[in-house]
Structures are given as C-alpha cells and as structure tokens.
Amino acid sequence: MLDEGPDPEATQPNFRRTLIQVLIVQVVVLVLLGFLQILYTA
Amino acid sequence: MHWINWAIVIVYLAYVVVDGIRKSKDTDTISGYFVANKSLAWWVVGLSVMATQLSAVTMIGTTGQGATDGIRFVQIYFGLPLAMVILGVTIVPMLHGSGVYTAYEYLERRFDAKTRSFTALLFLLSRGMSCGTILAAPAVVFSAIFGLPLVWSVALIGVPTVIYTMIGGVQAVAWADVKQMVLIIVALLAVMVVLVIQMPVSPHDALRIAGSTGRLQAFDFSFNINETYTFWSGVIGGTFLMLSYFGTDQSQVQRFLTARSVNEAKNSLLMSAYWKIPLQGLVLVVGIGVFVYYQFVRPPLLYNPTHEAAVVADRGSAYSALQSRYADAFTLRESAALAVADADEDTHRADALATFLEREGEVESIRAEALMLAGEVTDEATSDVNYIVPRFVLSELPIGLAGLFIAGVLAAAMSSIAAELNSLATASVIDFYRRWVNPDAQDSHLLRVSKGATAFWGLFACMVATYAATLGSLIEVVNRFGSFFYGSILGVFLLAMVPRARGSGAFLGLIAGMTTVGYFNFRTDVAYLWQNLIGAVVVLLVGVVLGSFGEKSGSEA
C-alpha cells in the first residue's frame, strides 16, 4: 500500500485556503436563505 | 413515456455498463479493486463522495419533500461543512495514512479484533438494509408510473449496477459516479429552467406564493429536541451524523481511501462542504417550484397512478365526487394564488394571503380524503410524496428532458448503490473472509471472492427492496437505519484518538452506546439527529472511564 502520509508544509496552506473559501460560500448561502425567509415568509 | 425518452434512458444504462467494464483494466489486485491503488485525483473522489450520498431518494423523495414541506429540510446539512473540516484534520489522515482497506481494519490495530468485527458487522447489517431501501425508492415509483412489475423495476436499476461494480471495482464506481453526478446536476438544472420558463407568474410572485405557505422558512431556531428539522439539530446533531457517515461508514471512507494523497483526500471532502448545501437547496427549490406550478396547472388528485387506478376501480363514485370537489377547490385556490401574486404592498395583501391559505387548506383536506380512500382500497402506505416530481416530469417536461431526468434518477440510484455494494463487498472480504476464514489467500483468489460478494450483496439489496416497498417516507427510513448505529460507531473512532482508551473499553462502550440509542429510539420522542450525538458521547464516556481503570491494551490482538 502507498503511504504518503500528511506533509504539513506542503498540504496545510492549500487546505486552509480551500477551507476559507468553503466558509465564505457557506456564509453567503446561509445569508441568501435568511433573506428569502425574511422577505417572503408571511 | 415517449420512445425518445426511453431511448435516452437505455443509452445511459448501456453507456454506464460499457464504461464500467472499460475501467476494469487495472483491477487485477485487491489494492486496485478496492482502493484503485490510491491513484485518483481529489476532484474524482470528491464527485464520487457527493454522488454516493445523493441517491434516488434525494431526486424523488427530497424534491417531493420540498413540494410538500418546503426548504426547512436543508437544516439537516448545516453541520456538514464543519464535519468535513473536523474529518480533514482527524480521521482522514488517520485512515488514509495507515494503509487500511476498511475503516474497521484500523480499529483492530488500535483496539482489538472483536471491536473491528463488531463494527464491521453493524456496517454490513445497516448498509445492507439501507442499500435495499435506496434501491426500492426509485423502483417502487418506476413500477407505479410505468406500470412495470416491481421485480422488473428493481432489475432495471440493480442488474447494470451489479455488473459494472462487480467487474470494475472501485475505479468503475468512482468514474461512473463522476459522470452520474454531472448528469444529476444537469437534470436538476434542466427541470429548474423549465419551471421558470413555464411558470405562469414571475419568479418574485412564485416566491411570494411559496413563502406564504411557509415553504421558504429555512431556519427554525427553536430548541426542541423532539423536532427533527431545526437549526440546532442540524448544526449539532447534523454534525455528528455527517462525522459518522463520512468518517466511519465504509461506503464513504472507501471513496477517500482511493485518493492519491492525504491532502487530496481532505480536499475531496471539502468539495462536499463547498457544494452540498447549495445542491440540497437546488433539490428542494425544484420541489417548491413544482408546488407553485401546481397552483396554476391542476395536478392529479392522487399522484400515485397505481393507487388512483385502484380507487377508481373500487370506489368509483366516491372518487368522482372527490374529483368534482377537488376541481372546484383548485379553481378557487388558483384565483387566490393569482390574487397573492397581484397584490402589492399597499392593497390588501394580508387578506389575499389569508384567503389563499384557507383555500390551500381546502385542497389539502380533499387530498387527505383521497389518500385515506387509497389507503382503505390498497391497504398500503398512502403518502405519495415520492410521486409528485416524477408525475410532474412526465406530464410537463418536453420530450427528451423527461428522459434526461429519469436517467438522472437512475444515475443517482446507481451511484449510491454501486458505492454501497463495493464497500459491502470490501468489508465482507477484508474484515471477515481474509481476517477469519482465509488469511493467506492470494490476490487472485480474493478478487474472485470479492466479485462473488458484490453479486451476493446485489441480490440481497434486490430482495430487501421488495420488502422496503411498503414503507412510508423512504428518506426517513434510510436516515433511521443509519442513525441507530452511526453515533456509536463514531464514538469508537473518537475513542481511538484518546491515548488511555483500551480495547475492552471500546467494545463495552459500543454496546452501551447502542443500548442507549435503542432506548431513545424506541422509548422517547427525541429526534433521530440527536441520537447520533447521544451514541457518540456514551461510547466516549464509557470507553474513557473503563480505560482509566488501567486495563491492558487489547491492541495486541
């Protein structure tokens, strides 16, 4: 079996960058859902 | 269905099988067959992860849930991004780096053989059952809508899936998942576009009508542990459900074990964190769109055509009377919906909304009477939520697009079933056959056994599908099967990260966790999402307490 293992120096920045993007997208989606609820729910 | 639609479905089925067989060339070792020699790129694994989770239940059950209940179901996924991040720094490096084929194999290295075998057995039981359930969902609907015997519908989905999974192993499954995921998204977007084009009112007015019935209420901040869909159950209980599903369920673990590196495995999970909530939102919005569309185009009184035919045959006059009342109530509701759409802020919008809700209530009460009639006649579960969107697709979508959507439903079903068959076979062979029966078996022998195991689980799933057909809301059933074991198994993996934890503590903790979840499941009204948290915490507590008594590690086993 291949066992490349985690390489913090090589992998962390990429993981962190993707993580920040994920958080931003989730916040945008939740805000959008919140707006829909506030604007249209009677 | 028009022959062009059938042609699209048949071309899709043929392509999946042929492509799956083509992908079987590097699968002459068990490493190739089970984990693709750890050679897949993050985006392939990521799409495979998403396709595995998105089953036909999502395409027909969740869209139907959007039509009847609105968007609040999306809350169940609020914990998913957090779960993916936690997994990325804990279980993913632990499992990917340890060179195991199954998640349960790791538990023997950390604890002991009995913990491994017990968790693997739980996986086989729960996933074997749920595999049948997710096969039943589209099979039952296809059977009713196309007038096919159930066994034919099951075979239509099950046979091609078993063929390409059996021959091509995990590589065929992963690459088929990629294409199937693309097909699913295209099909959903196509339905959305058609809905927007054909909707008799503007998108703003459509949202206003949907919102007036509470269908756009995505957030429920009430803290009620008996309520399934709330913000808190989604964020807390949902996080534990997703941690368990993506981190300890072999059907998902095996996806990220195929990644080229730990980093690619992590990023494949982040793809789900990125897209799952928007995708689930799209699925539910399609359902809501169908609900609004049916305010202006009269839908059938009963969406299940088989039930409708049975009621007409057995209680014709009573059903005609209901039809007549339904037609009148629909006309009144349609004009009330138009009044809501036309009302501006300064006129009597509140009055228009009140009238609309009252008339919507009348239509729903007539539908409830019709469903009760169907229940009396057929002696079956009467919920027809899973039939709403398929009926809409077949009657309202242009020729070609209906075939595309049906192919999308098949793709969703096959991608989930294939991953589950593949993982069921892996756990059967690695955790039982090679561990207990034939530890010195050659790769070629294990490959033959693996293919046999895939065929066995395929047959088992087809048989379960026949019994699951009589169950009500299929999506609830799938989640309930999982919840019963998930939290406790997650607890064992969390315990694996606690240095003082020992094998017997893990095993007894697992028993205690499952017993506790069983109690909450049968004796209380605590919503199933919370049961994941309860199971995990009980295992962790029992395991840590027993471990601190200084028991000797069982990991030598």
Side-chain angles (χ1 to χ4, degrees):
Chain A
M1 297 291 297
L2 295 175
D3 182 2
E4 297 179 13
D7 178 359
E9 281 187 352
T11 62
Q12 278 308 93
N14 188 18
F15 183 68
R16 278 191 192 151
R17 193 170 60 241
T18 317
L19 195 58
I20 291 164
Q21 289 170 356
V22 167
L23 290 174
I24 292 169
V25 169
Q26 301 319 306
V27 169
V28 169
V29 170
L30 293 185
V31 167
L32 196 67
L33 288 172
F35 269 124
L36 274 179
Q37 178 168 331
I38 291 165
L39 289 176
Y40 291 106
T41 298
Chain B
M1 193 161 76
H2 195 277
W3 69 267
I4 293 177
N5 290 329
W6 276 117
I8 290 171
V9 171
I10 289 165
V11 166
Y12 159 73
L13 287 173
Y15 173 75
V16 167
V17 173
V18 171
D19 194 53
I21 293 169
R22 272 198 315 150
K23 291 283 183 300
S24 66
K25 55 188 173 191
D26 294 325
T27 53
D28 49 354
T29 62
I30 55 164
S31 173
Y33 193 77
F34 287 144
V35 291
N37 295 315
K38 289 192 185 290
S39 63
L40 300 182
W42 66 272
W43 60 271
V44 176
V45 180
L47 285 170
S48 182
V49 164
M50 291 181 73
T52 300
Q53 198 202 9
L54 199 155
S55 72
V57 177
T58 313
M59 294 290 276
I60 56 179
T62 309
T63 48
Q65 200 163 353
T68 56
D69 197 40
I71 204 165
R72 68 194 186 110
F73 179 70
V74 77
Q75 292 174 113
I76 199 175
Y77 294 102
F78 283 174
L80 188 145
L82 178 62
M84 294 310 205
V85 173
I86 295 171
L87 290 174
V89 295
T90 54
I91 290 179
V92 172
M94 186 170 89
L95 294 181
H96 195 281
S98 63
V100 293
Y101 289 111
T102 74
Y104 320 110
E105 199 180 349
Y106 177 82
L107 291 180
E108 179 166 7
R109 295 188 189 178
R110 176 63 182 85
F111 295 124
D112 52 27
K114 66 177 182 299
T115 306
R116 170 191 183 175
S117 297
F118 189 50
T119 49
L121 182 66
L122 289 179
F123 167 74
L124 292 182
L125 288 175
S126 62
R127 272 294 145 200
M129 293 296 285
S130 81
C131 192
T133 313
I134 59 172
L135 173 56
V140 171
V141 174
F142 284 1
S143 170
I145 285 182
F146 299 127
L148 295 169
L150 182 60
V151 68
W152 280 81
S153 292
V154 169
L156 180 77
I157 303 163
V159 171
T161 313
V162 172
I163 290 173
Y164 79 76
T165 308
M166 195 172 82
I167 296 174
V170 77
Q171 289 216 96
V173 172
W175 282 105
D177 283 351
V178 170
K179 288 146 198 165
Q180 285 162 340
M181 197 62 216
V182 172
L183 178 59
I184 290 164
I185 291 170
V186 169
L188 285 170
L189 288 175
V191 177
M192 200 63 231
V193 168
V194 171
L195 272 168
V196 171
I197 292 170
Q198 293 188 355
M199 192 71 78
V201 293
S202 69
H204 173 68
D205 292 337
L207 287 170
R208 196 187 270 187
I209 291 166
S212 69
T213 61
R215 282 174 171 77
L216 295 181
Q217 185 167 350
F219 299 93
D220 176 356
F221 288 106
S222 63
F223 195 91
N224 179 0
I225 58 168
N226 297 333
E227 182 67 47
T228 308
Y229 307 123
T230 68
F231 178 82
W232 303 111
S233 70
V235 170
I236 303 170
T239 299
F240 277 79
L241 173 64
M242 301 305 165
L243 281 172
S244 314
Y245 176 60
F246 288 100
T248 72
D249 188 307
Q250 179 64 17
S251 68
Q252 283 294 359
V253 169
Q254 198 165 352
R255 306 306 106 213
F256 67 70
L257 288 181
T258 62
R260 282 193 288 235
S261 65
V262 174
N263 189 43
E264 298 220 23
K266 287 179 181 178
N267 281 323
S268 70
L269 287 189
L270 283 185
M271 188 186 243
S272 278
Y274 215 105
W275 289 109
K276 186 61 192 177
I277 294 176
L279 183 62
Q280 202 63 30
L282 173 67
V283 168
L284 291 165
V285 167
V286 164
I288 293 170
V290 171
F291 163 76
V292 178
Y293 181 82
Y294 276 154
Q295 302 303 305
F296 304 100
V297 176
R298 183 147 62 99
L301 180 52
L302 288 172
Y303 290 101
N304 183 335
T306 308
H307 282 190
E308 192 174 29
V311 173
V312 168
D314 199 65
R315 306 274 180 90
S317 57
Y319 193 65
S320 295
L322 276 178
Q323 286 271 37
S324 167
R325 281 173 55 205
Y326 178 59
D328 294 341
F330 174 82
T331 309
L332 288 171
R333 186 185 65 176
E334 183 185 9
S335 56
L338 283 171
V340 170
D342 292 339
D344 58 46
E345 303 301 328
D346 299 328
T347 56
H348 306 291
R349 190 175 163 213
D351 290 345
L353 281 174
T355 308
F356 171 68
L357 289 176
E358 190 185 319
R359 290 176 179 173
E360 163 71 2
E362 282 166 22
V363 169
E364 283 309 310
S365 111
I366 296 168
R367 282 235 324 124
E369 283 183 55
L371 287 169
M372 202 182 294
L373 205 58
E376 287 169 17
V377 170
T378 61
D379 210 20
E380 289 178 3
T382 55
S383 170
D384 59 359
V385 171
N386 296 336
Y387 295 83
I388 298 173
V389 171
R391 281 295 286 268
F392 165 81
V393 162
L394 291 176
S395 59
E396 306 298 331
L397 286 197
I399 292 170
L401 279 187
L404 184 75
F405 187 84
I406 298 297
V409 174
L410 287 171
M414 294 165 84
S415 56
S416 303
I417 295 163
E420 299 204 350
L421 293 180
N422 183 233
S423 58
L424 285 164
T426 309
S428 305
V429 172
I430 300 295
D431 293 316
F432 291 99
Y433 185 77
R434 193 176 74 167
R435 174 65 182 80
W436 297 107
V437 181
N438 195 351
D440 304 318
Q442 302 270 316
D443 263 20
S444 56
H445 175 73
L446 287 175
L447 265 177
R448 281 198 300 278
V449 175
S450 305
K451 290 178 181 177
T454 307
F456 165 79
W457 283 112
L459 188 65
F460 180 80
C462 290
M463 285 166 64
V464 171
T466 316
Y467 291 100
T470 51
L471 296 172
S473 176
L474 292 162
I475 192 154
E476 287 280 332
V477 172
V478 169
N479 285 331
R480 272 186 184 276
F481 272 133
S483 284
F484 204 79
F485 308 106
Y486 270 2
S488 306
I489 294 181
L490 174 66
V492 177
F493 279 88
L494 294 177
L495 201 59
M497 295 173 211
V498 179
R500 70 167 66 164
R502 303 287 179 262
S504 52
F507 187 75
L508 290 174
L510 185 56
I511 304 284
M514 287 180 55
T515 309
T516 312
V517 171
Y519 171 80
F520 278 95
N521 204 301
F522 290 115
R523 294 296 178 90
T524 72
D525 294 325
V526 172
Y528 71 87
L529 277 176
W530 292 103
Q531 292 170 14
N532 296 289
L533 170 63
I534 293 166
V537 169
V538 169
V539 174
L540 207 51
L541 283 177
V542 172
V544 168
V545 169
L546 290 180
S548 60
F549 280 115
E551 216 176 282
K552 268 191 75 91
S553 171
S555 59
E556 312 89 6

